[in-house]
Short mmCIF file of all heavy atoms in Angstrom, two decimals:
data_model
loop_
_atom_site.label_atom_id
_atom_site.label_comp_id
_atom_site.label_asym_id
_atom_site.label_seq_id
_atom_site.Cartn_x
_atom_site.Cartn_y
_atom_site.Cartn_z
N LEU N 129 125.33 129.38 107.68
CA LEU N 129 126.53 128.53 107.69
C LEU N 129 127.09 128.56 106.27
O LEU N 129 126.54 127.94 105.36
CB LEU N 129 126.17 127.11 108.11
CG LEU N 129 127.29 126.06 108.06
CD1 LEU N 129 128.48 126.47 108.90
CD2 LEU N 129 126.74 124.71 108.54
N LEU N 132 133.58 126.81 106.09
CA LEU N 132 134.04 125.71 106.93
C LEU N 132 135.56 125.71 106.96
O LEU N 132 136.21 125.65 105.90
CB LEU N 132 133.52 124.38 106.39
CG LEU N 132 133.88 123.13 107.21
CD1 LEU N 132 133.30 123.21 108.62
CD2 LEU N 132 133.41 121.86 106.50
N ARG N 133 136.12 125.74 108.16
CA ARG N 133 137.57 125.71 108.33
C ARG N 133 137.96 124.33 108.86
O ARG N 133 137.49 123.92 109.92
CB ARG N 133 138.02 126.83 109.26
CG ARG N 133 137.59 128.18 108.71
CD ARG N 133 138.27 129.35 109.35
NE ARG N 133 137.95 130.55 108.59
CZ ARG N 133 138.54 131.73 108.73
NH1 ARG N 133 139.51 131.86 109.61
NH2 ARG N 133 138.19 132.76 108.00
N LEU N 134 138.80 123.66 108.09
CA LEU N 134 139.14 122.27 108.37
C LEU N 134 140.59 122.16 108.79
O LEU N 134 141.50 122.43 108.00
CB LEU N 134 138.94 121.44 107.10
CG LEU N 134 137.52 121.11 106.66
CD1 LEU N 134 137.52 120.76 105.19
CD2 LEU N 134 136.98 119.95 107.48
N LYS N 164 143.72 108.88 115.24
CA LYS N 164 142.84 109.82 115.94
C LYS N 164 142.58 111.07 115.11
O LYS N 164 141.91 112.00 115.58
CB LYS N 164 143.44 110.22 117.29
CG LYS N 164 143.68 109.05 118.24
CD LYS N 164 142.40 108.34 118.61
CE LYS N 164 142.66 107.23 119.63
NZ LYS N 164 141.42 106.47 119.95
N VAL N 165 143.12 111.10 113.91
CA VAL N 165 142.95 112.23 112.99
C VAL N 165 141.98 111.81 111.89
O VAL N 165 142.03 110.68 111.41
CB VAL N 165 144.31 112.65 112.39
CG1 VAL N 165 144.13 113.75 111.35
CG2 VAL N 165 145.25 113.11 113.50
N LEU N 166 141.10 112.71 111.48
CA LEU N 166 140.16 112.41 110.41
C LEU N 166 140.89 111.94 109.16
O LEU N 166 141.87 112.56 108.73
CB LEU N 166 139.32 113.64 110.06
CG LEU N 166 138.26 114.09 111.07
CD1 LEU N 166 137.65 115.41 110.61
CD2 LEU N 166 137.17 113.04 111.25
N SER N 167 140.40 110.87 108.54
CA SER N 167 140.95 110.39 107.28
C SER N 167 140.41 111.25 106.13
O SER N 167 139.46 112.01 106.29
CB SER N 167 140.55 108.93 107.05
OG SER N 167 139.14 108.85 106.81
N ASP N 169 138.75 110.16 103.61
CA ASP N 169 137.38 109.71 103.37
C ASP N 169 136.41 110.41 104.31
O ASP N 169 135.32 110.83 103.90
CB ASP N 169 137.27 108.20 103.54
CG ASP N 169 137.89 107.41 102.40
OD1 ASP N 169 138.14 108.00 101.33
OD2 ASP N 169 138.13 106.20 102.58
N GLU N 170 136.80 110.49 105.58
CA GLU N 170 135.92 111.11 106.58
C GLU N 170 135.78 112.61 106.33
O GLU N 170 134.67 113.17 106.47
CB GLU N 170 136.47 110.85 107.98
CG GLU N 170 136.33 109.38 108.40
CD GLU N 170 137.14 109.03 109.64
OE1 GLU N 170 138.16 109.70 109.93
OE2 GLU N 170 136.75 108.07 110.33
N ILE N 171 136.86 113.26 105.94
CA ILE N 171 136.79 114.70 105.64
C ILE N 171 135.88 114.94 104.44
O ILE N 171 135.02 115.83 104.46
CB ILE N 171 138.20 115.26 105.38
CG1 ILE N 171 139.03 115.25 106.67
CG2 ILE N 171 138.11 116.69 104.83
CD1 ILE N 171 140.49 115.62 106.48
N ARG N 173 133.45 113.10 103.37
CA ARG N 173 132.07 112.83 103.76
C ARG N 173 131.50 114.00 104.55
O ARG N 173 130.37 114.46 104.29
CB ARG N 173 132.02 111.55 104.60
CG ARG N 173 130.61 111.11 104.97
CD ARG N 173 130.64 109.86 105.84
NE ARG N 173 129.30 109.46 106.26
CZ ARG N 173 129.05 108.62 107.24
NH1 ARG N 173 130.06 108.04 107.91
NH2 ARG N 173 127.80 108.32 107.57
N LEU N 174 132.27 114.53 105.49
CA LEU N 174 131.80 115.66 106.29
C LEU N 174 131.56 116.90 105.42
O LEU N 174 130.54 117.59 105.58
CB LEU N 174 132.81 116.00 107.38
CG LEU N 174 132.69 115.27 108.71
CD1 LEU N 174 133.75 115.77 109.68
CD2 LEU N 174 131.30 115.43 109.32
N VAL N 175 132.49 117.19 104.53
CA VAL N 175 132.34 118.37 103.68
C VAL N 175 131.09 118.25 102.83
O VAL N 175 130.33 119.22 102.67
CB VAL N 175 133.60 118.58 102.81
CG1 VAL N 175 133.33 119.63 101.73
CG2 VAL N 175 134.77 119.01 103.68
N THR N 176 130.82 117.07 102.30
CA THR N 176 129.62 116.87 101.50
C THR N 176 128.37 117.18 102.32
O THR N 176 127.42 117.82 101.83
CB THR N 176 129.57 115.42 100.97
OG1 THR N 176 130.74 115.16 100.19
CG2 THR N 176 128.34 115.20 100.12
N ILE N 177 128.37 116.76 103.57
CA ILE N 177 127.22 117.03 104.45
C ILE N 177 127.12 118.52 104.75
O ILE N 177 126.02 119.10 104.69
CB ILE N 177 127.35 116.21 105.75
CG1 ILE N 177 127.23 114.71 105.45
CG2 ILE N 177 126.29 116.64 106.76
CD1 ILE N 177 127.59 113.81 106.62
N PHE N 178 128.24 119.16 105.04
CA PHE N 178 128.22 120.59 105.35
C PHE N 178 127.77 121.41 104.14
O PHE N 178 127.06 122.41 104.30
CB PHE N 178 129.60 121.06 105.84
CG PHE N 178 129.79 120.96 107.32
CD1 PHE N 178 130.31 119.80 107.88
CD2 PHE N 178 129.44 122.01 108.15
CE1 PHE N 178 130.49 119.70 109.25
CE2 PHE N 178 129.60 121.91 109.52
CZ PHE N 178 130.13 120.76 110.08
N VAL N 179 128.17 121.01 102.95
CA VAL N 179 127.73 121.72 101.75
C VAL N 179 126.22 121.64 101.61
O VAL N 179 125.55 122.61 101.21
CB VAL N 179 128.44 121.16 100.50
CG1 VAL N 179 127.78 121.66 99.21
CG2 VAL N 179 129.92 121.54 100.51
N LEU N 181 124.21 121.83 103.85
CA LEU N 181 123.64 122.76 104.85
C LEU N 181 123.95 124.22 104.54
O LEU N 181 123.59 125.10 105.30
CB LEU N 181 124.16 122.40 106.24
CG LEU N 181 123.67 121.06 106.80
CD1 LEU N 181 124.47 120.67 108.04
CD2 LEU N 181 122.18 121.13 107.12
N VAL N 183 127.28 125.41 103.24
CA VAL N 183 128.69 125.77 103.11
C VAL N 183 129.10 125.85 101.63
O VAL N 183 128.75 124.98 100.84
CB VAL N 183 129.59 124.75 103.85
CG1 VAL N 183 131.04 124.84 103.38
CG2 VAL N 183 129.52 124.98 105.35
N ALA N 383 132.18 127.83 110.65
CA ALA N 383 132.29 126.68 111.54
C ALA N 383 133.70 126.12 111.40
O ALA N 383 134.34 126.28 110.36
CB ALA N 383 131.27 125.61 111.17
N ARG N 384 134.17 125.46 112.46
CA ARG N 384 135.53 124.93 112.45
C ARG N 384 135.52 123.47 112.88
O ARG N 384 134.82 123.11 113.83
CB ARG N 384 136.42 125.75 113.40
CG ARG N 384 136.62 127.18 112.95
CD ARG N 384 137.27 128.03 114.03
NE ARG N 384 137.72 129.31 113.49
CZ ARG N 384 136.95 130.38 113.38
NH1 ARG N 384 135.69 130.33 113.79
NH2 ARG N 384 137.42 131.51 112.87
N ILE N 385 136.33 122.66 112.19
CA ILE N 385 136.47 121.25 112.57
C ILE N 385 137.93 120.99 112.87
O ILE N 385 138.82 121.27 112.05
CB ILE N 385 135.98 120.32 111.44
CG1 ILE N 385 134.48 120.52 111.22
CG2 ILE N 385 136.26 118.86 111.79
CD1 ILE N 385 133.91 119.66 110.11
N SER N 386 138.19 120.46 114.04
CA SER N 386 139.56 120.15 114.45
C SER N 386 140.02 118.87 113.77
O SER N 386 139.23 118.12 113.19
CB SER N 386 139.64 120.02 115.97
OG SER N 386 138.89 118.90 116.41
N ALA N 387 141.33 118.60 113.89
CA ALA N 387 141.91 117.45 113.20
C ALA N 387 141.29 116.13 113.66
O ALA N 387 141.21 115.17 112.89
CB ALA N 387 143.42 117.43 113.41
N GLU N 388 140.83 116.08 114.93
CA GLU N 388 140.22 114.85 115.41
C GLU N 388 138.70 114.85 115.27
O GLU N 388 138.00 114.03 115.87
CB GLU N 388 140.63 114.56 116.86
CG GLU N 388 139.89 115.36 117.93
CD GLU N 388 140.50 116.70 118.21
OE1 GLU N 388 140.94 117.38 117.26
OE2 GLU N 388 140.53 117.11 119.38
N GLY N 389 138.19 115.77 114.45
CA GLY N 389 136.78 115.70 114.08
C GLY N 389 135.80 116.32 115.04
O GLY N 389 134.63 115.94 115.05
N LYS N 390 136.24 117.31 115.81
CA LYS N 390 135.31 118.02 116.68
C LYS N 390 134.88 119.32 116.01
O LYS N 390 135.70 120.04 115.44
CB LYS N 390 135.94 118.30 118.04
CG LYS N 390 136.08 117.05 118.89
CD LYS N 390 136.53 117.37 120.31
CE LYS N 390 136.59 116.09 121.14
NZ LYS N 390 137.05 116.35 122.52
N LEU N 391 133.59 119.60 116.09
CA LEU N 391 133.01 120.80 115.50
C LEU N 391 132.99 121.91 116.55
O LEU N 391 132.47 121.72 117.65
CB LEU N 391 131.59 120.50 115.02
CG LEU N 391 130.70 121.69 114.63
CD1 LEU N 391 131.30 122.48 113.46
CD2 LEU N 391 129.29 121.21 114.28
N TYR N 392 133.56 123.06 116.18
CA TYR N 392 133.56 124.23 117.05
C TYR N 392 132.81 125.35 116.35
O TYR N 392 133.05 125.64 115.17
CB TYR N 392 134.99 124.68 117.37
CG TYR N 392 135.74 123.68 118.22
CD1 TYR N 392 136.47 122.65 117.63
CD2 TYR N 392 135.70 123.75 119.61
CE1 TYR N 392 137.15 121.72 118.41
CE2 TYR N 392 136.38 122.82 120.39
CZ TYR N 392 137.10 121.81 119.78
OH TYR N 392 137.76 120.88 120.56
N THR N 393 131.91 125.99 117.08
CA THR N 393 131.07 127.03 116.48
C THR N 393 131.61 128.43 116.69
O THR N 393 130.99 129.41 116.29
CB THR N 393 129.64 126.94 117.05
OG1 THR N 393 129.70 127.03 118.48
CG2 THR N 393 128.97 125.63 116.65
N LYS N 399 134.15 124.30 124.11
CA LYS N 399 133.91 122.87 123.87
C LYS N 399 133.62 122.63 122.40
O LYS N 399 133.20 123.53 121.66
CB LYS N 399 132.74 122.36 124.71
CG LYS N 399 131.38 122.89 124.28
CD LYS N 399 130.25 122.15 125.00
CE LYS N 399 128.89 122.61 124.47
NZ LYS N 399 127.78 121.82 125.05
N GLY N 400 133.87 121.39 121.98
CA GLY N 400 133.55 120.98 120.62
C GLY N 400 132.56 119.83 120.64
O GLY N 400 132.30 119.22 121.68
N TYR N 401 132.02 119.54 119.48
CA TYR N 401 131.04 118.46 119.33
C TYR N 401 131.69 117.35 118.51
O TYR N 401 132.17 117.59 117.40
CB TYR N 401 129.78 118.98 118.65
CG TYR N 401 129.11 120.12 119.39
CD1 TYR N 401 129.52 121.43 119.18
CD2 TYR N 401 128.11 119.87 120.32
CE1 TYR N 401 128.93 122.49 119.86
CE2 TYR N 401 127.51 120.92 121.01
CZ TYR N 401 127.92 122.22 120.78
OH TYR N 401 127.33 123.26 121.46
N ASP N 402 131.69 116.15 119.03
CA ASP N 402 132.45 115.05 118.44
C ASP N 402 131.73 114.46 117.22
O ASP N 402 130.77 113.70 117.34
CB ASP N 402 132.66 113.96 119.49
CG ASP N 402 133.68 112.91 119.06
OD1 ASP N 402 134.07 112.92 117.88
OD2 ASP N 402 134.07 112.09 119.90
N LEU N 403 132.23 114.83 116.03
CA LEU N 403 131.67 114.28 114.80
C LEU N 403 132.37 112.98 114.39
O LEU N 403 131.78 112.16 113.70
CB LEU N 403 131.79 115.30 113.65
CG LEU N 403 131.08 116.65 113.87
CD1 LEU N 403 131.21 117.51 112.62
CD2 LEU N 403 129.62 116.47 114.26
N MET N 404 133.62 112.81 114.84
CA MET N 404 134.33 111.58 114.51
C MET N 404 133.59 110.36 115.05
O MET N 404 133.48 109.32 114.38
CB MET N 404 135.75 111.59 115.05
CG MET N 404 136.54 110.31 114.75
SD MET N 404 138.19 110.30 115.45
CE MET N 404 139.08 111.31 114.28
N GLU N 405 133.05 110.46 116.25
CA GLU N 405 132.31 109.34 116.83
C GLU N 405 131.11 108.98 115.96
O GLU N 405 130.82 107.79 115.75
CB GLU N 405 131.83 109.69 118.24
CG GLU N 405 131.11 108.55 118.93
CD GLU N 405 130.65 108.91 120.33
OE1 GLU N 405 130.87 110.04 120.76
OE2 GLU N 405 130.06 108.03 120.98
N LEU N 406 130.44 109.99 115.40
CA LEU N 406 129.30 109.72 114.52
C LEU N 406 129.78 109.07 113.22
O LEU N 406 129.13 108.15 112.70
CB LEU N 406 128.57 111.02 114.20
CG LEU N 406 127.95 111.77 115.39
CD1 LEU N 406 127.27 113.05 114.90
CD2 LEU N 406 126.96 110.89 116.13
N LEU N 407 130.91 109.55 112.70
CA LEU N 407 131.43 109.00 111.45
C LEU N 407 131.87 107.55 111.58
O LEU N 407 131.78 106.77 110.63
CB LEU N 407 132.62 109.84 110.97
CG LEU N 407 132.33 111.26 110.50
CD1 LEU N 407 133.63 112.05 110.37
CD2 LEU N 407 131.58 111.26 109.18
N ARG N 408 132.36 107.20 112.76
CA ARG N 408 132.94 105.87 112.95
C ARG N 408 131.99 104.87 113.60
O ARG N 408 132.38 103.80 114.03
CB ARG N 408 134.25 105.99 113.74
CG ARG N 408 135.30 106.75 112.96
CD ARG N 408 136.66 106.79 113.62
NE ARG N 408 137.62 107.50 112.77
CZ ARG N 408 138.89 107.70 113.07
NH1 ARG N 408 139.38 107.23 114.22
NH2 ARG N 408 139.69 108.34 112.24
N THR N 409 130.72 105.25 113.66
CA THR N 409 129.68 104.30 114.07
C THR N 409 128.80 104.05 112.85
O THR N 409 129.21 104.28 111.73
CB THR N 409 128.87 104.86 115.25
OG1 THR N 409 128.33 106.14 114.89
CG2 THR N 409 129.76 105.03 116.48
N ASP N 410 127.60 103.60 113.06
CA ASP N 410 126.74 103.26 111.93
C ASP N 410 125.77 104.38 111.57
O ASP N 410 124.74 104.14 110.92
CB ASP N 410 125.95 101.98 112.24
CG ASP N 410 126.86 100.75 112.35
OD1 ASP N 410 127.86 100.72 111.63
OD2 ASP N 410 126.55 99.85 113.15
N GLU N 411 126.08 105.59 111.99
CA GLU N 411 125.18 106.71 111.70
C GLU N 411 125.14 106.98 110.19
O GLU N 411 126.16 106.92 109.50
CB GLU N 411 125.66 107.98 112.42
CG GLU N 411 125.69 107.89 113.93
CD GLU N 411 124.29 107.84 114.54
OE1 GLU N 411 123.33 108.20 113.84
OE2 GLU N 411 124.18 107.45 115.71
N THR N 412 123.97 107.29 109.70
CA THR N 412 123.81 107.63 108.28
C THR N 412 124.21 109.08 108.05
O THR N 412 124.30 109.88 108.98
CB THR N 412 122.36 107.45 107.85
OG1 THR N 412 121.54 108.39 108.57
CG2 THR N 412 121.88 106.03 108.10
N ASP N 413 124.42 109.43 106.78
CA ASP N 413 124.71 110.82 106.44
C ASP N 413 123.59 111.73 106.92
O ASP N 413 123.84 112.85 107.40
CB ASP N 413 124.88 110.97 104.93
CG ASP N 413 126.21 110.43 104.43
OD1 ASP N 413 126.97 109.88 105.26
OD2 ASP N 413 126.49 110.55 103.23
N GLU N 414 122.35 111.27 106.78
CA GLU N 414 121.22 112.11 107.17
C GLU N 414 121.19 112.36 108.67
O GLU N 414 120.90 113.47 109.13
CB GLU N 414 119.90 111.47 106.71
CG GLU N 414 118.67 112.31 106.99
CD GLU N 414 118.73 113.71 106.40
OE1 GLU N 414 119.33 113.88 105.31
OE2 GLU N 414 118.20 114.65 107.03
N SER N 415 121.52 111.35 109.47
CA SER N 415 121.50 111.55 110.92
C SER N 415 122.65 112.47 111.35
O SER N 415 122.49 113.29 112.26
CB SER N 415 121.59 110.21 111.66
OG SER N 415 122.82 109.56 111.42
N ILE N 416 123.80 112.37 110.67
CA ILE N 416 124.91 113.28 110.97
C ILE N 416 124.53 114.70 110.55
O ILE N 416 124.81 115.66 111.26
CB ILE N 416 126.19 112.81 110.25
CG1 ILE N 416 126.64 111.46 110.79
CG2 ILE N 416 127.31 113.85 110.41
CD1 ILE N 416 127.80 110.84 110.05
N ARG N 417 123.88 114.79 109.42
CA ARG N 417 123.41 116.10 108.94
C ARG N 417 122.46 116.74 109.95
O ARG N 417 122.56 117.93 110.25
CB ARG N 417 122.71 115.91 107.59
CG ARG N 417 122.28 117.18 106.89
CD ARG N 417 121.61 116.82 105.56
NE ARG N 417 121.30 117.99 104.78
CZ ARG N 417 120.21 118.73 104.92
NH1 ARG N 417 119.31 118.41 105.85
NH2 ARG N 417 120.01 119.79 104.15
N GLU N 418 121.55 115.95 110.47
CA GLU N 418 120.60 116.47 111.46
C GLU N 418 121.31 116.91 112.73
O GLU N 418 120.94 117.92 113.34
CB GLU N 418 119.54 115.40 111.76
CG GLU N 418 118.57 115.15 110.62
CD GLU N 418 117.63 114.00 110.91
OE1 GLU N 418 117.72 113.41 112.02
OE2 GLU N 418 116.79 113.68 110.03
N ALA N 419 122.33 116.15 113.13
CA ALA N 419 123.09 116.52 114.33
C ALA N 419 123.81 117.84 114.14
O ALA N 419 123.80 118.71 115.03
CB ALA N 419 124.09 115.41 114.67
N ILE N 420 124.44 118.02 112.98
CA ILE N 420 125.15 119.27 112.70
C ILE N 420 124.17 120.44 112.63
O ILE N 420 124.41 121.52 113.17
CB ILE N 420 125.95 119.15 111.39
CG1 ILE N 420 127.07 118.12 111.55
CG2 ILE N 420 126.52 120.50 110.97
CD1 ILE N 420 127.74 117.74 110.25
N ALA N 421 123.04 120.21 111.96
CA ALA N 421 122.02 121.26 111.85
C ALA N 421 121.52 121.68 113.22
O ALA N 421 121.32 122.88 113.50
CB ALA N 421 120.86 120.77 110.98
N SER N 422 121.34 120.73 114.11
CA SER N 422 120.88 121.03 115.47
C SER N 422 121.91 121.87 116.22
O SER N 422 121.57 122.83 116.92
CB SER N 422 120.59 119.74 116.23
OG SER N 422 120.23 120.01 117.57
N ILE N 423 123.18 121.51 116.08
CA ILE N 423 124.25 122.28 116.74
C ILE N 423 124.26 123.72 116.23
O ILE N 423 124.33 124.66 117.02
CB ILE N 423 125.62 121.60 116.49
CG1 ILE N 423 125.69 120.26 117.21
CG2 ILE N 423 126.77 122.52 116.94
CD1 ILE N 423 126.84 119.37 116.73
N TRP N 424 124.16 123.87 114.92
CA TRP N 424 124.25 125.22 114.35
C TRP N 424 123.01 126.06 114.69
O TRP N 424 123.13 127.25 115.02
CB TRP N 424 124.45 125.17 112.83
CG TRP N 424 124.77 126.53 112.28
CD1 TRP N 424 123.91 127.43 111.72
CD2 TRP N 424 126.06 127.15 112.26
NE1 TRP N 424 124.59 128.57 111.35
CE2 TRP N 424 125.91 128.42 111.67
CE3 TRP N 424 127.33 126.74 112.67
CZ2 TRP N 424 126.98 129.30 111.49
CZ3 TRP N 424 128.40 127.61 112.49
CH2 TRP N 424 128.22 128.87 111.90
#
Side-chain angles (χ1 to χ4, degrees):
L129 175 57
L132 183 61
R133 302 195 171 192
L134 286 159
K164 300 298 183 183
V165 175
L166 288 174
S167 69
D169 286 344
E170 290 167 334
I171 292 173
R173 185 182 177 196
L174 272 182
V175 168
T176 302
I177 294 169
F178 270 91
V179 167
L181 292 168
V183 162
R384 294 169 168 86
I385 295 179
S386 66
E388 79 274 40
K390 288 188 177 179
L391 168 62
Y392 293 89
T393 56
K399 70 170 185 174
Y401 302 86
D402 192 351
L403 301 184
M404 180 183 280
E405 183 180 1
L406 298 179
L407 291 167
R408 295 186 178 180
T409 56
D410 294 327
E411 298 290 343
T412 64
D413 285 3
E414 184 55 34
S415 65
I416 295 174
R417 185 180 186 276
E418 289 175 1
I420 294 169
S422 176
I423 292 165
W424 190 263

